[in-house]
Amino acid sequence: MTTTVPKRGLDITIVGGGLGGAISARVLRTHHNVTILERTPHAVEFGAALLIGPSTMQYLDKLGLDRSKIGCVGMDFVRIWTKEEILVHDHALNWEKDYGDKWLSNNRADLRNEFLRLATAPSAELGVEGNPAKIVFGAEVAAVDTQTGKLTLKNGDVYESDLVIGADGINSIVRPFVVDEPVAVNPPKPSGTSAFRFVIPAKEAMEIYPHLPGPNQPSLGIMVAADGSQRSLAFYPFRDFTMFNFIMLVPDNLLKDPVSGSKNELRSAEDVLVYFHDFPEGIKAILRLATNIRLWQIRHQDPLPTYVKGRVMLVGDAAHAMTPTQSQGANQAIEDAEGLELLNNDAVDRDSLNAVLQQWERVRRPRASIVQDLSSGVLSSHDITTVYKHAPFYWSYPGIVKSLELLDKGELITYAG
């Protein structure tokens, strides 16, 4: 007599192996069969550093994140100077006391590698049940059937899925299959501002410019032109204080050679100095030492009318691309992943799946849409201090289950005042 072994969980295909896709795979691997389709031929992560907030970091800890592999640095202060080096704002962050952890800087590539480890490492290594997620590199998606979950690659390969998760970023291939409106097909819009980004060893930078924050007072530093030009720069340490991340913002209408689309383009120090020639000599000296300076046009997507259609859902930048002015892009992608805990229930099957996705969207879409608007608003208001003025809204998020309970009672905070 042959015994039939019941299939374990759902077959889930995640399009995109970046931060949002990898951490979603970690959440789902304990109960489901997860495959990540990554279009690049190997794990390549662009970008320098990013900031993760208290509630988000605490959730990552629960998933087994090894902070020692990332070299997080906690920010204790936000300090703003004019280009004449006049300190105009000095704010102590008490987030460890208020929200249970600090505002932590992380190297983007290190964080992505750690997320991939959590998604694909042997279950025994992580102390979890289920099977590791599989990752397929060089997999470019051509079409998605939202009703059946059938996904077709450009090379003709087909994946049959109970659920497809589009985690393929701001230029998402999956998004137009979910949203039947022009907003989904059109590329995300320019914000009017572009950013020069680079990293530099902390030792060299601090020798050149002693105003940079030292290990005894790790800070997010901001310097503004304060002359109506809306030029500014931000800097903070990461990787156990061995590196500094620099972001230099310039309005698009000032750029002599703007970047096209949402690409990263290499630029020289001389290119950047044109726009920051009147900033302190120490800043200009750091610029002259910098290599691999990238110019990136900051873009954003208008809030979408839905993140879910049939057997397909969107997470991260594919769902809610936003400007980086509130340091919320990665945080919101991780919150999306936390919401997928709703699927880790034995009662969820192929037939009941969509009802669960609708519950996920009840919380995630309104919240992420608010964060999109808040982030875009900073570029128009130039009020950088809003990043901690809205801290209660950002870092008191109670997670998907509690949020649904509060939503049913009409008590969920849906506006950051």
Side-chain angles (χ1 to χ4, degrees):
M1 179 177 179
T2 302
T3 302
T4 301
V5 179
K7 184 172 79 72
R8 173 189 169 273
L10 301 171
D11 290 328
I12 299 176
T13 303
I14 299 175
V15 181
L19 295 176
I23 202 61
S24 294
R26 164 59 186 92
V27 171
L28 294 166
R29 60 172 285 178
T30 58
H31 288 71
H32 305 286
N33 312 298
V34 182
T35 300
I36 301 171
L37 301 180
E38 169 56 39
R39 65 177 180 81
T40 61
H42 50 83
V44 176
E45 183 62 57
F46 297 102
L50 53 81
L51 293 159
I52 298 292
S55 57
T56 315
M57 207 66 182
Q58 290 170 72
Y59 178 65
L60 293 176
D61 287 341
K62 292 179 182 178
L63 295 180
L65 183 86
D66 186 345
R67 296 194 186 193
S68 69
K69 295 181 183 295
I70 305 167
C72 311
V73 177
M75 301 296 106
D76 290 335
F77 298 90
V78 174
R79 291 184 168 130
I80 304 175
W81 294 266
T82 66
K83 61 181 171 60
E84 291 77 26
E85 298 181 297
I86 299 170
L87 183 65
V88 294
H89 189 85
D90 191 356
H91 180 82
L93 297 174
N94 297 311
W95 289 0
E96 194 167 22
K97 174 186 174 184
D98 295 338
Y99 307 112
D101 212 326
K102 293 187 176 186
W103 199 20
L104 294 148
S105 66
N106 306 266
N107 177 266
R108 189 180 186 93
D110 293 345
L111 196 64
R112 196 264 186 113
N113 288 337
E114 177 63 357
F115 285 6
L116 284 175
R117 183 186 74 85
L118 294 174
T120 62
S123 298
E125 178 183 316
L126 300 181
V128 300
E129 296 187 1
N131 297 316
K134 300 174 184 177
I135 184 164
V136 180
F137 290 104
E140 296 189 64
V141 172
V144 182
D145 188 321
T146 59
Q147 297 309 306
T148 65
K150 179 181 176 181
L151 188 149
T152 306
L153 303 187
K154 287 185 177 180
N155 66 4
D157 289 352
V158 173
Y159 288 79
E160 302 283 354
S161 310
D162 297 308
L163 171 65
V164 174
I165 300 177
D168 52 340
I170 190 170
N171 297 311
S172 174
I173 298 299
V174 179
R175 186 191 300 125
F177 293 98
V178 175
V179 184
D180 299 323
E181 294 188 15
V183 69
V185 180
N186 295 335
K189 298 184 297 186
S191 67
T193 300
S194 291
F196 294 96
R197 304 187 70 165
F198 63 91
V199 301
I200 190 169
K203 186 175 184 295
E204 292 180 28
M206 294 177 71
E207 287 174 353
I208 293 171
Y209 194 56
H211 286 296
L212 294 178
N216 59 327
Q217 288 192 333
S219 312
L220 167 63
I222 298 167
M223 187 170 285
V224 295
D227 59 4
S229 67
Q230 309 304 343
R231 295 169 298 147
S232 64
L233 64 90
F235 47 84
Y236 55 86
F238 68 101
R239 257 190 185 166
D240 288 328
F241 232 105
T242 61
M243 302 291 291
F244 265 93
N245 187 46
F246 277 80
I247 308 163
M248 310 183 83
L249 301 180
V250 179
D252 289 345
N253 59 14
L254 295 182
L255 289 175
K256 297 178 181 179
D257 184 18
V259 71
S260 57
S262 56
K263 297 182 291 185
N264 282 280
E265 292 185 359
L266 273 172
R267 295 298 165 94
S268 68
E270 289 70 27
D271 292 333
V272 190
L273 284 166
V274 169
Y275 309 107
F276 292 89
H277 61 90
D278 52 351
F279 273 61
E281 289 300 321
I283 294 295
K284 291 187 286 185
I286 286 174
L287 253 175
R288 293 187 185 100
L289 280 181
T291 59
N292 197 31
I293 300 172
R294 297 270 177 174
L295 177 60
W296 163 51
Q297 186 182 61
I298 298 174
R299 302 168 80 84
H300 70 98
Q301 179 79 54
D302 289 334
L304 298 180
T306 185
Y307 294 170
V308 175
K309 183 178 181 181
R311 299 192 175 281
V312 183
M313 68 188 303
L314 303 172
V315 300
D317 282 354
H320 42 68
M322 58 189 68
T323 67
T325 47
Q326 297 283 275
S327 299
Q328 278 292 309
N331 288 278
Q332 290 305 305
I334 295 164
E335 286 187 10
D336 288 345
E338 185 275 339
L340 297 176
E341 298 271 9
L342 291 176
L343 298 175
N344 289 344
N345 185 317
D346 292 340
V348 177
D349 58 19
R350 184 176 173 87
D351 294 330
S352 62
L353 172 65
N354 191 259
V356 180
L357 298 184
Q358 297 301 325
Q359 291 294 94
W360 175 88
E361 186 175 36
R362 284 181 67 205
V363 173
R364 293 305 310 146
R365 187 166 62 85
R367 176 172 168 79
S369 297
I370 292 169
V371 178
Q372 281 180 289
D373 290 339
L374 290 173
S375 299
S376 297
V378 174
L379 280 179
S380 57
S381 70
H382 306 288
D383 183 3
I384 301 168
T385 63
T386 55
V387 72
Y388 49 81
K389 288 179 180 177
H390 296 314
F393 177 70
Y394 293 147
W395 312 130
S396 295
Y397 178 64
I400 193 72
V401 173
K402 184 65 176 178
S403 292
L404 285 168
E405 292 175 2
L406 293 172
L407 192 60
D408 289 339
K409 295 177 182 178
E411 299 175 0
L412 185 66
I413 299 174
T414 56
Y415 174 72

